[in-house]
Each structure stands twice: as C-alpha cells, then as structure tokens.
Amino acid sequence: ARPDLTIPCANIKVKGLYRDWRLVGDVTPMQAVIQMRNDLMNFKYEMEGQTEDDEQGAASDARILGGLIDRYAALVSASSTVPRSLVPDAVVRVWERCLEDADSADVEIVSPDGRSRAHAPVLASASPVVAAMLSSGMREGVKREVVVGESAAEVRLFLSLLYTGCLPADAQDEMDKEAPALEVGARITVASAFMSN
C-alpha cells in the first residue's frame, strides 16, 4: 500500500518497545510514522523511570523512522506520479484560487522586498497573535498591514502552506533559485500543523 493513501475509519493498535499507539479516524501510514517518530523523539521527556538504554533505543528508533520519512519525501519530490498533498487536488485548487484572488484579499503582508496579499480570516484562524493584531486598534488592524522581516519569497511559501497545506507546484524551482535567502525558522506560530506534507 502507498504511504500517502488514507485508511478510512482506522482503528489500529501498534505495540512498540517503548510505548503503544492507537490510530483512529482517517489516517495515512505516513501520518502514523510521523506521529510515532515525534513521540519517540519526546520519549525521554514524557516518562519517568526509564533507563538510559531505553532513551537511547527510542532515539535510535526515532532516527530510523526519520530516515523513512526523508526517503519518502525525496521520492515525492522526484516523482510526478505521487500527489503533492494528501488533501484532494480539487480542494487544493480551490484554496490556491482563493490565495491568488487579490481582489478579495483584505490584508497586506509587507516584506523588505515586496508585498503579499492575504485574507484576514485565514490569517487570524491560524495565529492568535495575528488575530489580536488585526482585530485591535493597533496599526496592523487599522492599516490592514502586517510588516515582517522575512522576504517576499518566504511569505509566499508560508501563505501557500497556510492556505493549501502543501507547497505550490512551482515551489522547487523557486526554492532552488532562492535557497540561500530562505532562513530556517518561523516568527508566526500557527495553531495547526501540516502533517500531510
């Protein structure tokens, strides 16, 4: 089975050496592997009384799962037959059109090298900080502008992930051209993670 295909109404128990998992709902095998890797990475912080050998074993297993995730990501980026997202393409296209619709956008994100337009409800639902900024009498709320230090390319990438949950189709070309300028990290904390990508 492909690791990106959804298992509908899953109710799966996984017994591990260091902890057990129960997967319920609509999940993909890759989502399960990501969750297991994350839990194993946090193993030493979650439980008291484990031995150093247990901690090292969990960390080793997390590295193995991380390697599987990296290999799958490489496969996805090199293949035109693997979908770029677990979100149905029709839904991604709707949100891409929404992101591209500058006429209905009501907020500008101002970068040192350009401006990007977005929709306040989308930004506010993803970040309580941005929600507070836009709903108050602060400059951002009054002028409907959010000034950031990140480049316009970083803002476009962030907005694409926020709106669609996946990278834009042309992201690899853009990232290859602008890789040195893109910084690791994010200044805006969003309320949800994009496990499907």
Side-chain angles (χ1 to χ4, degrees):
R2 285 182 24 188
D4 60 333
L5 294 180
T6 300
I7 301 168
C9 304
N11 188 0
I12 303 167
K13 292 180 187 177
V14 178
K15 182 146 181 70
L17 289 173
Y18 309 105
R19 69 168 293 169
D20 297 337
W21 290 271
R22 183 179 181 96
L23 308 169
V24 294
D26 296 343
V27 297
T28 68
M30 188 51 60
Q31 286 173 316
V33 169
I34 291 169
Q35 183 64 51
M36 293 165 79
R37 186 253 348 242
N38 292 348
D39 289 346
L40 288 170
M41 289 172 61
N42 292 319
F43 176 76
K44 66 181 175 183
Y45 305 111
E46 292 177 349
M47 305 177 100
E48 292 183 22
Q50 68 263 21
T51 67
E52 190 174 324
D53 285 345
D54 286 344
E55 288 180 14
Q56 289 176 353
S60 175
D61 289 353
R63 283 191 297 276
I64 291 168
L65 292 175
L68 288 172
I69 294 165
D70 292 343
R71 286 188 185 119
Y72 178 70
L75 171 71
V76 169
S77 66
S79 173
S80 61
T81 60
V82 177
R84 61 189 172 122
S85 167
L86 300 178
V87 178
D89 281 341
V91 174
V92 171
R93 284 191 295 274
V94 166
W95 282 100
E96 283 174 335
R97 286 192 303 272
C98 182
L99 176 58
E100 293 164 2
D101 183 7
D103 293 336
S104 67
D106 58 349
V107 175
E108 283 196 314
I109 301 176
V110 182
S111 299
D113 61 342
R115 293 175 172 260
S116 302
R117 296 195 42 89
H119 301 85
V122 175
L123 296 174
S125 67
S127 170
V129 173
V130 175
M133 289 167 41
L134 293 175
S135 65
S136 71
M138 295 173 67
R139 184 188 58 154
E140 292 86 357
V142 173
K143 293 181 93 177
R144 308 307 279 174
E145 284 184 348
V146 177
V147 178
V148 298
E150 287 73 26
S151 71
E154 289 172 290
V155 171
R156 283 193 305 273
L157 183 62
F158 169 76
L159 289 175
S160 181
L161 289 169
L162 182 63
Y163 276 72
T164 67
C166 62
L167 295 172
D170 60 351
Q172 189 61 47
D173 294 335
E174 188 168 324
M175 286 190 297
D176 287 344
K177 286 187 283 186
E178 301 190 34
L182 296 178
E183 295 180 20
V184 176
R187 291 179 352 118
I188 297 175
T189 301
V190 294
S192 61
F194 302 104
M195 287 186 64
S196 65
N197 299 300

